[in-house]
Amino acid sequence: MKKTFIEQVHYIRIPVRDLDQSAKWYEEVLGLQLLTITDDPFAIIKVNDGPFLVILVPIDDETYAHFTVNGEPAFSIGFTSPELIKFHQHLIDNGVKVEDIKEDNGHAYFHFFDPSGNKLQVHW
């Protein structure tokens, strides 16, 4: 195996339209830990106990953390959840735009959108 100088992915940056609203949503709806909102400004959010961070970056244009394939949004950020069905219902109960749960070769997943329209996936 070839040696790499890269140890792990440390953080991802997600563009958001309203920093305070988005930070609150990622904390209250997704249950992630808001560490701080910096003076720069951006929000630093921790995912559980590991080293992985989500950085919310305020933007003024129509930029998203996803891309399009044949004109349709395709997610680029995927989370995991061992309680996929409960999480799906939790998002619905909180007014989140959520797609149906799908299965593919024993792999269940669904897509949802944050308040800024970023398409995200969760699977198990």
Side-chain angles (χ1 to χ4, degrees):
M1 184 172 167
K2 198 172 201 176
K3 178 175 171 37
T4 180
F5 292 99
I6 296 172
E7 182 179 12
Q8 63 189 4
V9 175
H10 183 214
Y11 61 86
I12 56 171
R13 292 167 35 111
I14 299 176
V16 296
R17 309 291 180 280
D18 182 320
L19 184 61
D20 292 328
Q21 174 199 35
S22 294
K24 183 177 178 180
W25 185 86
Y26 275 81
E27 183 177 37
E28 293 180 1
V29 176
L30 296 190
L32 304 179
Q33 181 186 0
L34 174 62
L35 297 178
T36 189
I37 295 180
T38 69
D39 293 335
D40 292 357
F42 55 85
I44 302 172
I45 297 175
K46 189 166 182 56
V47 179
N48 294 326
D49 293 327
F52 190 71
L53 302 172
V54 172
I55 310 296
L56 304 180
V57 181
I59 49 117
D60 293 327
D61 60 8
E62 292 296 316
T63 301
Y64 297 98
H66 61 262
F67 53 94
T68 58
V69 175
N70 298 323
E72 294 295 320
F75 78 97
S76 60
I77 301 167
F79 298 103
T80 60
S81 174
E83 298 187 74
L84 198 68
I85 294 170
K86 286 182 182 179
F87 183 47
H88 188 262
Q89 187 60 52
H90 168 77
L91 293 176
I92 291 169
D93 292 346
N94 280 277
V96 176
K97 180 179 175 185
V98 181
E99 296 178 359
D100 292 337
I101 296 175
K102 297 181 181 174
E103 290 193 32
D104 182 26
N105 295 323
H107 176 82
Y109 65 93
F110 66 88
H111 300 107
F112 62 102
F113 293 82
D114 76 2
S116 296
N118 293 297
K119 186 173 187 175
L120 306 168
Q121 184 195 66
V122 63
H123 66 92
W124 192 251

